[in-house]
Amino acid sequence: MKEELFVSGRNIPNIDPYLNIWHWQIPLYLFLGGLAAGILFFAGYYTVRGKADKMQTTVKWAPIIAPIALVLGLFALFLDLKHKLYFWQLYTTIRLESPMGWGAWTLMIITPISFIWVASYMKELVPGWNWKFSILEKFEAFVIKYRVALAWVMMIYSIILGVYTGILLSAFNARPLWNTSILGPLFLVSGFSTGLATIIWISKDAKERKVLSRIDLVFIIIEIFLIVHLFMGFLAGSQTAIEAANMFLGGPFTVSFWVFVVILGLVFPAVLETLELWGYHVPKWLPPVMILVGGFMFRFIMVEAGQITRYLY
Amino acid sequence: MRYAMAIDTKKCVGCGDCVVACQTENNVPHGYCRDWIVESVDGTYPSLSLEFRSERCNHCDNSPCVRCCPTGASHVEEGGIVTVTHDKCIGCGACIESCPYDARYSHPEGYVDKCTFCLHRVQKGQQPACVKVCPTKCLHFGDLDDPNSDVSLAIKDRKWKVLAPEAGTDPQLYFLT
């Protein structure tokens, strides 16, 4: 048996007895970032495929949520900073080694793109919309002319944004629960799934909802596979990784993770969506709400639990 | 040049003088500390072993905190000392998450703070405050590249270990066992 004590009375706020330096702001941002990435990706995808008219909600209406989500997410990130007035230092440096640096620059690119995308559809969404300045009219015409190119850029950046929300955590070697490269694809898939859920929720077109539900089902199944792989990887890993997994397999996060994230956030909505595809009546809002709540819980639990895991010496 | 520290766990009695000296020298805010003492009891009664370790930032050669810093506030000074430039730090907390030793904390004024090996003293040719005050002389500081430095001589003929070498950070605190 080994017992280690701080005999000099160390009790630093947010560090001891276990690390808790990132609170609700980071998981909220990871959730909103993934959601925006999902919405923008599918808006771009159906534009590139030339199906903008069949998928009206996906391409034209849902993207309105993306810039709002990104701005709220950025605000959450700002709230997380402890030295707030120096936040601009993020944009005077380019550090390729720093995941957070990557994230800051990705957001700097994709947030304006999402605004431009929504703006280019303003005249269709709001009848009688007038940009008032000729330069804005010219810019709109330019964007509409090259919309497919913009859709490609948007798709690529939404993938980077979705993966980055996972990489932000997985780059920390010191936190065994996060330090797995599966986190990148897992957060990407989960983010895309929450984005799809949002579109399904607001879409009034039954055909469009059916197409999106099918894709969402595939994403949910991939996500469940990735979660199983995550734990298989941990259990085959070092002592620190096994202890990280045990927090979810009998430890303090067992119930919250398996009940709220996996069962209520993935399995139930998948079953409900399948029933809906088979023709049974399911409340339209129910599966999307479950997916969104599950997605948020997933990020919240991962951030909270990851900070508790550490190297033992 | 490579500054490092050796801590003689056979001589350390866990008095906490190094902690107080650091807090005084560096004006560390109340309730915080840049160094601390761990008492490690191993085994089952009656065959127990006791070890005292005066711990602080390991000033790692492969420092994850410097790598993950988005603004370059965390950086490596001359001699491998890892420090934070206060007015470049945005307080994002990434370096705190990245440290396997939990050696960093968020200063009440917002920036991230940590042990500097008393860089301001070292530059004047003085020893870090903790080393200077240690009553049992169990702390040894100096340049590893100089074979006659205090730290080189301390680890030369002794068994030593570093903490969590499996984290791969190449830490520079040597605990003599």
Side-chain angles (χ1 to χ4, degrees):
Chain A
M1 205 191 108
K2 196 172 186 177
E3 189 181 51
E4 303 211 316
L5 293 171
F6 289 132
V7 285
S8 61
R10 181 182 135 137
N11 190 20
I12 304 175
N14 295 325
I15 310 284
D16 300 315
Y18 55 83
L19 194 66
N20 191 19
I21 201 82
W22 283 351
H23 307 293
W24 56 270
Q25 296 95 333
I26 297 286
L28 177 66
Y29 156 67
L30 296 179
F31 172 74
L32 292 170
L35 181 94
I39 291 174
L40 293 177
F41 179 84
F42 287 100
Y45 176 74
Y46 283 110
T47 305
V48 169
R49 291 274 308 271
K51 289 187 178 170
D53 291 327
K54 279 186 189 165
M55 311 292 282
Q56 295 262 0
T57 312
T58 316
V59 176
K60 295 173 189 172
W61 287 99
I64 298 173
I65 298 168
I68 299 169
L70 286 173
V71 168
L72 286 177
L74 275 167
F75 187 64
L77 279 188
F78 177 72
L79 288 182
D80 169 69
L81 299 181
K82 310 282 185 301
H83 220 198
K84 290 187 174 55
L85 293 179
Y86 293 81
F87 79 96
W88 50 271
Q89 291 276 9
L90 272 175
Y91 295 107
T92 55
T93 359
I94 293 182
R95 294 202 19 89
L96 296 179
E97 286 181 310
S98 163
M100 202 171 270
W102 271 91
W105 283 104
T106 305
L107 285 166
M108 197 61 159
I109 292 166
I110 199 162
T111 312
I113 289 180
S114 71
F115 273 103
I116 291 171
W117 185 267
V118 174
S120 80
Y121 277 113
M122 272 321 268
K123 279 185 181 160
E124 288 184 44
L125 300 177
V126 185
W129 182 270
N130 182 3
W131 284 110
K132 293 204 171 85
F133 296 98
S134 68
I135 189 165
L136 289 177
E137 296 281 352
K138 275 182 196 160
F139 183 64
E140 188 197 24
F142 174 80
V143 172
I144 291 172
K145 192 177 169 194
Y146 292 103
R147 198 176 259 153
V148 176
L150 184 66
W152 274 108
V153 175
M154 205 163 77
M155 275 167 71
I156 292 165
Y157 268 95
S158 59
I159 293 174
I160 295 177
L161 176 66
V163 172
Y164 152 73
T165 57
I167 301 270
L168 176 70
L169 302 181
S170 74
F172 293 122
N173 171 37
R175 311 291 149 201
L177 179 71
W178 294 347
N179 190 24
T180 156
S181 47
I182 271 191
L183 233 51
L186 180 55
F187 274 65
L188 174 73
V189 173
S190 169
F192 277 16
S193 175
T194 53
L196 279 169
T198 314
I199 308 172
I200 294 171
W201 192 2
I202 61 174
S203 175
K204 292 193 177 87
D205 179 355
K207 268 190 192 165
E208 185 178 13
R209 289 224 311 276
K210 203 168 178 182
V211 174
L212 296 174
S213 289
R214 284 208 180 121
I215 302 174
D216 195 31
L217 265 178
V218 175
F219 274 99
I220 289 177
I221 291 165
I222 296 173
E223 201 179 332
I224 292 173
F225 267 110
L226 287 176
I227 288 174
V228 172
H229 273 81
L230 180 78
F231 284 102
M232 280 170 66
F234 281 140
L235 292 176
S238 61
Q239 184 68 37
T240 52
I242 292 169
E243 279 179 22
N246 281 342
M247 291 208 304
F248 295 86
L249 305 169
F253 293 92
T254 313
V255 176
S256 49
F257 183 77
W258 294 102
V259 173
F260 290 104
V261 177
V262 177
I263 296 177
L264 290 178
L266 294 171
V267 177
F268 271 29
V271 172
L272 290 175
E273 281 186 348
T274 315
L275 288 175
E276 205 173 13
L277 287 175
W278 284 348
Y280 291 93
H281 177 73
V282 175
K284 184 185 141 188
W285 53 271
L286 189 59
V289 168
M290 290 176 107
I291 290 171
L292 289 171
V293 173
F296 181 68
M297 285 289 283
F298 172 61
R299 285 156 180 80
F300 204 87
I301 291 169
M302 285 304 280
V303 170
E304 194 77 8
Q307 295 186 88
I308 297 175
T309 60
R310 55 169 298 175
Y311 275 92
L312 304 166
Y313 53 84
Chain B
M1 193 153 62
R2 175 67 249 199
Y3 286 123
M5 195 180 279
I7 296 102
D8 194 336
T9 61
K10 299 285 185 212
K11 274 190 183 172
C12 180
V13 293
C15 67
D17 231 7
C18 49
V19 180
V20 177
C22 172
Q23 286 165 330
T24 314
E25 172 72 26
N26 296 298
N27 205 7
V28 178
H30 183 70
Y32 294 78
C33 54
R34 293 182 180 183
D35 57 352
W36 58 93
I37 291 164
V38 174
E39 180 193 273
S40 174
V41 181
D42 201 0
T44 317
Y45 181 83
S47 55
L48 292 167
S49 67
L50 175 67
E51 178 181 279
F52 282 109
R53 296 195 301 261
S54 169
E55 295 185 8
R56 57 189 58 55
C57 168
N58 281 265
H59 297 275
C60 306
D61 255 353
N62 177 23
S63 39
C65 50
V66 172
R67 221 179 317 129
C68 75
C69 178
T71 67
S74 280
H75 64 284
V76 182
E77 288 275 348
E78 190 195 356
I81 297 180
V82 177
T83 61
V84 182
T85 312
H86 294 172
D87 55 8
K88 267 185 131 184
C89 175
I90 59 172
C92 69
C95 55
I96 300 179
E97 300 282 359
S98 79
C99 178
Y101 306 100
D102 287 347
R104 289 168 166 252
Y105 60 85
S106 182
H107 192 281
E109 282 174 22
Y111 53 83
V112 169
D113 202 24
K114 67 184 282 297
C115 161
T116 61
F117 266 169
C118 281
L119 184 63
H120 59 288
R121 291 173 59 92
V122 172
Q123 280 168 341
K124 285 186 224 156
Q126 298 170 326
Q127 289 179 318
C130 54
V131 177
K132 185 75 182 167
V133 299
C134 179
T136 63
K137 305 251 185 301
C138 77
L139 300 176
H140 304 269
F141 178 81
D143 177 9
L144 273 185
D145 291 343
D146 172 9
N148 293 317
S149 72
D150 198 13
V151 65
S152 299
L153 293 173
I155 63 174
K156 193 175 159 196
D157 296 320
R158 289 280 297 273
K159 275 189 186 165
W160 52 261
K161 65 174 180 184
V162 292
L163 299 176
E166 67 275 18
T169 59
D170 206 353
Q172 297 298 319
L173 290 192
Y174 297 87
F175 291 88
L176 308 177
T177 55

